[in-house]
Amino acid sequence: MSAPVAQEELPILEAVINIRNRLTALKKNRGEFIKPADVNQLYQAIVKQVTRLNEVRDDHTTYNNRLDTTLADVFNLLSLFFLTIGRTRECPATYSQIASMRQILIHMDESGVYNESDLAPFHRRLSELRNIVQHDMESGKHPPAMTKLLERQLNECENLLRKLQDSLSVLSPELIPIHERLVNIRRQLVALAARETAREVAAANAHVAKLEDLKGKSSASSTESETSEGDSKTPTRESTPKPDGHRDKDGKDGRDGKDGLRVKAELKPIQEELRKIDSKRVDGKFLGPGGTVPASQAICSSLLEECFEIVQEIRAQDESKNVATSLRPIYDRLSEIRKELEQLVLTHRWSLRETDLWNYSLSLQEIDKMRVDGKFVDTEGNRPEGQYVLLYLLRRCYGLIYRLLSSSEPVSEELMPIANKLSTVKKCLNEVLKYGGPFSPRDLYPYQLALHQIDSMRKEGKFVGVDGTVPEGQGIVMAHLNECHELLEMLKESMDDAEEEDYVDDDDYDFNDPSDDEEDEE
């Protein structure tokens, strides 16, 4: 539970809430592009409040009250705005990435399912983000209040990462291959359990929809039968419900059964591999060379036991439906978020405004807070079945958000349509160059027209926004444009070379030379 807000911090809290409301209103405005001037104005306003807060607080005391949570919301949302306007290489833009990374690391620490290869990308990304913050700190581009906050956030992430690294360092070299294999097996099992649950939910929803459809048809047919005498007791071909698919003896349709068989077929080799790993233990312990007992037995043994538990959960799925009814709303919501985020991963270049991720982050935080001691509970405080599936979906959603944040390009939202169009043109020109001709000037005309249209949008060599400002990402867009022009010139040159070769071939023999005909007559 958060601590109460001190009296001297109440005016700051009121100002911060006002800034958050203005940011939320700006985020909801989809009618026009986000203006960097509006973002900068709100950024300066929040920095001013943080400076005031630092003056009334002690640097050596940890605070956690409503003001801190509201500040975290504001900085997270403000960070997404910086990504949206293309200022990805400035320290405010790193806040949301650091927060997302910290959440993933906390879940990795909680599950204990990770290896060296999982931690390596976080090491690299933390180093990149620290370089951004360090550069802004040395250049004075952003006030000390901001860089100091981000420095503290980075240190928290590094401490978490170090903790995870230290837990792996206790692994004996003999057990590292077994541990890595168990980590991969557990991921396969949890993904399989989530897929199986999705199949069951889809089948249940389809069954409910069919029942409602049949109920509607039966009521309609009964209404019709009341108007006609003699037909009410005689079922006709039109009034009898028709089965819409082959069903087995348990009432499940054939497709559902095939999906279930496919899951069981994938589960069988995983079970066999787990049994092989388990057979390597003697008296419950893994042995090293010469019959020695390596250290860190507990890590591998607990991971192995957890894998067996997930296997049992998947096998019992036909009877228990895996996710309890009390947890089904959480499962449905997480599945919906995951589906939408996976769609954004595919289409983010065309459809994503980074501030859209704010709503997903809030929803995941609300779901995460529902856990008690790391588990989801029902109204009676019990821990129903389906914990692995829900945690898998929750962590998967966090990972997708982090992936979308990390892939954000330093191009303003206003220039992104131009950048996307140039990227498509460049890809097409590369394909044409790759497969070659023959082609005519008419074939190259669409690409020339597209580049001419983009060139005509520049003013004094720069792309200018609606409000007359110069959006971020000029260098990247110009690099794409110049590359497209170079590819087009290469295609024109190859076309000219092909025409010259054809001209030379035609000169080698004159089809109208009368001397040839005379030779033939002789």
Side-chain angles (χ1 to χ4, degrees):
M1 187 173 178
S2 60
V5 180
Q7 192 67 31
E8 62 271 16
E9 295 180 3
L10 288 176
I12 302 174
L13 174 60
E14 185 179 345
V16 171
I17 291 174
N18 180 43
I19 294 171
R20 185 181 63 180
N21 293 338
R22 291 167 63 190
L23 284 169
T24 305
L26 186 62
K27 177 184 73 70
K28 291 179 179 178
N29 183 13
R30 308 283 299 193
E32 55 185 18
F33 294 117
I34 295 172
K35 299 175 182 177
D38 295 338
V39 177
N40 192 58
Q41 181 184 4
L42 292 170
Y43 170 63
Q44 296 299 332
I46 196 62
V47 167
K48 181 180 178 181
Q49 298 306 319
V50 172
T51 305
R52 288 177 59 191
L53 183 62
N54 289 337
E55 292 174 356
V56 299
R57 280 189 173 182
D58 181 13
D59 290 342
H60 305 289
T61 306
T62 303
Y63 297 88
N64 184 23
N65 55 28
R66 187 187 174 195
L67 176 55
D68 294 285
T69 56
T70 310
L71 270 174
D73 288 346
V74 170
F75 277 116
N76 209 341
L77 189 49
L78 197 59
S79 176
L80 297 175
F81 273 105
F82 268 80
L83 291 174
T84 303
I85 63 176
R87 292 164 66 173
T88 61
R89 301 293 298 176
E90 296 186 27
C91 65
T94 65
Y95 186 94
S96 57
Q97 298 175 62
I98 298 171
S100 178
M101 189 185 302
R102 183 175 65 249
Q103 199 66 51
I104 294 173
L105 291 174
I106 289 172
H107 275 274
M108 289 174 69
D109 182 34
E110 181 185 297
S111 66
V113 183
Y114 55 89
N115 52 32
E116 291 281 353
S117 60
D118 296 323
L119 301 183
F122 292 105
H123 278 294
R124 289 194 296 269
R125 188 57 183 163
L126 268 180
S127 177
E128 294 171 1
L129 295 177
R130 186 173 286 279
N131 289 337
I132 294 173
V133 175
Q134 195 70 31
H135 177 268
D136 285 355
M137 188 184 297
E138 294 172 355
S139 64
K141 188 172 185 178
H142 291 277
M146 187 68 198
T147 54
K148 185 179 178 181
L149 171 69
L150 291 169
E151 190 75 23
R152 190 161 56 245
Q153 298 285 331
L154 285 169
N155 290 338
E156 287 182 17
C157 275
E158 286 191 345
N159 290 336
L160 275 171
L161 200 55
R162 193 178 300 111
K163 180 183 177 182
L164 298 178
Q165 195 75 50
D166 291 343
S167 65
L168 288 179
S169 63
V170 301
L171 273 172
S172 301
E174 298 89 349
L175 294 183
I176 289 178
I178 295 175
H179 179 264
E180 290 185 347
R181 187 60 198 133
L182 285 172
V183 167
N184 291 330
I185 288 175
R186 188 191 181 280
R187 285 179 180 155
Q188 292 174 5
L189 286 171
V190 175
L192 203 60
R195 196 193 320 164
E196 178 77 351
T197 303
R199 180 180 66 84
E200 295 288 351
V201 171
N205 292 339
H207 182 62
V208 171
K210 288 172 185 175
L211 286 177
E212 292 178 352
D213 186 43
L214 289 175
K215 189 184 294 183
K217 287 182 179 179
S218 62
S219 62
S221 62
S222 63
T223 303
E224 292 174 1
S225 63
E226 289 175 358
T227 59
S228 60
E229 295 180 0
D231 295 333
S232 58
K233 295 182 180 179
T234 306
T236 62
R237 184 175 298 176
E238 288 76 10
S239 63
T240 304
K242 298 179 182 179
D244 55 345
H246 297 289
R247 292 184 174 272
D248 57 23
K249 61 183 181 180
D250 296 326
K252 296 178 180 179
D253 61 43
R255 185 176 56 186
D256 190 35
K258 288 180 181 178
D259 289 339
L261 290 173
R262 191 182 297 115
V263 170
K264 290 175 182 176
E266 292 182 28
L267 184 62
K268 188 175 180 180
I270 297 177
Q271 284 181 279
E272 292 175 356
E273 188 166 1
L274 285 174
R275 292 192 188 103
K276 288 180 182 178
I277 295 174
D278 193 25
S279 65
K280 296 178 181 179
R281 293 197 292 177
V282 178
D283 296 330
K285 297 183 182 295
F286 292 100
L287 300 181
T292 59
V293 180
S296 62
Q297 293 283 329
I299 297 177
C300 292
S301 295
S302 62
L303 199 52
L304 179 62
E305 295 300 327
E306 195 174 355
C307 287
F308 277 120
E309 286 178 14
I310 302 173
V311 168
Q312 292 302 320
E313 187 168 323
I314 296 174
R315 291 179 64 185
Q317 201 152 17
D318 288 336
E319 291 79 21
S320 64
K321 303 301 181 186
N322 199 38
V323 174
T325 306
S326 58
L327 298 183
R328 189 56 61 84
I330 302 175
Y331 172 82
D332 292 339
R333 182 63 185 132
L334 284 172
S335 298
E336 182 185 353
I337 292 173
R338 177 194 177 189
K339 183 179 179 181
E340 292 176 5
L341 288 173
E342 286 178 341
Q343 185 68 25
L344 282 176
V345 168
L346 296 175
T347 63
H348 69 277
R349 287 187 60 89
W350 295 271
S351 60
L352 176 67
R353 176 188 265 190
E354 280 80 359
T355 51
D356 295 339
L357 298 177
W358 168 249
N359 293 333
Y360 296 113
S361 298
L362 279 184
S363 298
L364 293 178
Q365 289 172 21
E366 290 173 1
I367 294 173
D368 212 348
K369 289 175 182 177
M370 297 168 67
R371 296 193 295 151
V372 178
D373 296 329
K375 302 290 184 181
F376 292 98
V377 297
D378 57 18
T379 53
E380 298 176 357
N382 301 320
R383 297 179 176 182
E385 294 180 351
Q387 299 288 331
Y388 293 118
V389 175
L390 294 184
L391 288 173
Y392 167 77
L393 290 174
L394 181 61
R395 289 160 184 166
R396 173 70 174 163
C397 290
Y398 276 129
L400 290 169
I401 287 179
Y402 174 71
R403 181 176 173 184
L404 287 166
L405 290 173
S406 302
S407 61
S408 181
E409 297 183 31
V411 178
S412 171
E413 175 191 28
E414 203 164 356
L415 289 187
M416 192 56 74
I418 300 174
N420 290 336
K421 187 172 183 179
L422 285 172
S423 179
T424 303
V425 171
K426 184 171 70 173
K427 191 178 294 185
C428 293
L429 288 172
N430 275 317
E431 289 297 313
V432 172
L433 190 63
K434 176 182 176 181
Y435 292 105
F439 43 81
S440 65
R442 184 186 293 274
D443 298 325
L444 301 182
Y445 177 73
Y447 307 113
Q448 288 178 300
L449 179 61
L451 294 181
H452 173 72
Q453 289 174 342
I454 294 174
D455 268 325
S456 63
M457 297 170 66
R458 292 191 294 165
K459 295 180 181 179
E460 298 180 0
K462 293 184 178 181
F463 294 98
V464 181
V466 178
D467 57 350
T469 59
V470 179
E472 294 286 333
Q474 299 285 328
I476 292 178
V477 175
M478 286 304 302
H480 285 325
L481 181 60
N482 292 334
E483 195 171 349
C484 287
H485 278 299
E486 290 174 6
L487 289 169
L488 194 59
E489 289 302 318
M490 290 170 65
L491 287 170
K492 287 180 180 179
E493 290 175 6
S494 64
M495 187 174 62
D496 293 340
D497 292 341
E499 289 177 355
E500 289 178 4
E501 289 176 5
D502 292 341
Y503 180 76
V504 171
D505 291 341
D506 291 345
D507 284 351
D508 288 343
Y509 180 78
D510 189 356
F511 292 97
N512 297 320
D513 190 351
S515 61
D516 292 336
D517 297 334
E518 293 174 2
E519 290 177 1
D520 291 339
E521 291 174 359
E522 292 175 0

